[in-house]
Amino acid sequence: QVQLAESGGGLVQAGGSLRLSCTVSGRTFSTRSMGWFRQTPGKEREFVAGIHWKGRINYADSVKGRFTISRDYPKDMLYLQMNNLRVEDTAVYYCAIDRTAHAETPRYDDWGQGTQVTVSA
């Protein structure tokens, strides 16, 4: 049973930075793709950034150049460094992991409980 736990959310002014962390336990971390998603009330959960188990990284257009996804293999940790935050980045942020090892096309099957990020004007 995989467990994901996000941390690092909070309140920040526009232009500020936050770093989200996600702790992974219960599955082999290095052979599975992982990603960050976010959701605001009344909207569908949206993709933010993903890191393939082979190392490929991709971002939503809205965060390119501002957010950086990374993973620490020895610590089984996933990170999202968020710089130059905007009010529209306000959301609950979730980390997710592919349940299938070595999958070429990531599927995000397991999710954390989320962490709130609020950006004030």
Side-chain angles (χ1 to χ4, degrees):
Q1 182 78 18
V2 66
Q3 291 186 333
L4 305 175
E6 303 93 338
S7 60
L11 174 64
V12 64
Q13 285 189 328
S17 298
L18 283 174
R19 189 177 82 153
L20 305 183
S21 300
C22 176
T23 303
V24 182
S25 59
R27 287 198 191 276
T28 305
F29 177 75
S30 62
T31 58
R32 290 170 168 81
S33 299
M34 293 197 69
W36 288 98
F37 292 74
R38 66 187 181 188
Q39 188 170 23
T40 55
K43 293 187 177 182
E44 291 188 0
R45 193 170 296 184
E46 66 172 355
F47 172 82
V48 174
I51 183 164
H52 196 270
W53 66 272
K54 290 182 177 179
R56 295 190 301 267
I57 290 174
N58 59 315
Y59 298 97
D61 288 343
S62 59
V63 306
K64 280 181 182 176
R66 300 187 299 122
F67 290 11
T68 302
I69 188 172
S70 62
R71 57 198 299 174
D72 185 326
Y73 289 91
K75 295 182 179 179
D76 287 352
M77 295 287 292
L78 180 73
Y79 302 102
L80 185 68
Q81 177 66 43
M82 305 186 295
N83 298 328
N84 192 20
L85 282 160
R86 304 168 180 170
V87 172
E88 53 265 35
D89 294 318
T90 296
V92 178
Y93 284 72
Y94 300 88
C95 67
I97 192 169
D98 195 329
R99 195 171 291 168
T100 303
H102 301 115
E104 188 58 37
T105 301
R107 290 183 55 181
Y108 301 102
D109 307 289
D110 294 308
W111 301 81
Q113 81 288 351
T115 185
Q116 176 70 47
V117 171
T118 302
V119 184
S120 62

